[in-house]
């Protein structure tokens, strides 16, 4: 499998975007790629890779920074949740208060 298409959402399911990327991308690059893509799709989505992680819902674990998506058990059609790694903080949705 060369590329995968996944759905990226948050736990509240306030958005859901289908995204395509190479299956052999490392987790650290994948996090940056997806967060940049989310921001380009919806500029109100502000995520920092240091504060948020990507959770593979089907596999029930986070995307590891040193493994590729495929090595982490990711598959075509998976749902990836954007998870706040600092749950005491209010997650930003939009800059203008929407």
């Amino acid at each position: 499998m060369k590329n995968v298409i996944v759905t990226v959402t948050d736990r509240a399911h306030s958005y859901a975007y289908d995204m395509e990327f190479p299956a052999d991308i490392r987790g650290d690059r994948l996090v940056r790629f997806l967060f940049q893509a989310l921001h380009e799709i919806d500029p109100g989505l502000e995520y920092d890779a240091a504060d948020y992680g990507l959770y593979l819902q089907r596999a029930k674990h986070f995307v590891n920074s040193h493994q590729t998506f495929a090595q982490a058990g990711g598959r075509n059609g998976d749902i990836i949740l954007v998870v706040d790694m600092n749950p005491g903080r209010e997650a930003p949705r939009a800059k203008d208060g929407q």
Side-chain angles (χ1 to χ4, degrees):
M1 161 175 58
K2 186 172 181 152
N3 285 347
V4 293
I5 298 174
V6 301
T7 300
V8 180
T9 187
D10 63 347
R11 287 188 186 219
H13 299 284
S14 59
Y15 62 85
Y17 298 110
D18 290 339
M19 296 187 180
E20 182 175 1
F21 55 85
D24 63 354
I25 190 170
R26 282 178 37 128
D28 53 350
R29 293 188 58 218
L30 176 60
V31 170
R32 289 191 304 271
F33 169 81
L34 289 182
F35 288 169
Q36 180 180 358
L38 286 172
H39 182 70
E40 289 178 15
I41 292 169
D42 183 347
L45 295 174
E46 292 284 338
Y47 291 113
D48 182 345
D51 296 330
Y52 292 86
L54 301 176
Y55 184 78
L56 292 170
Q57 189 172 10
R58 178 193 47 77
K60 296 183 174 42
H61 63 80
F62 284 88
V63 174
N64 195 314
S65 64
H66 66 277
Q67 290 182 311
T68 67
F69 181 75
Q71 289 171 335
R75 297 184 195 160
N76 203 33
D78 273 349
I79 296 173
I80 298 177
L81 297 177
V82 175
V83 178
D84 187 348
M85 303 306 281
N86 183 3
R89 171 189 59 220
E90 183 177 327
R93 172 67 181 125
K95 288 182 180 179
D96 60 1
Q98 293 181 346

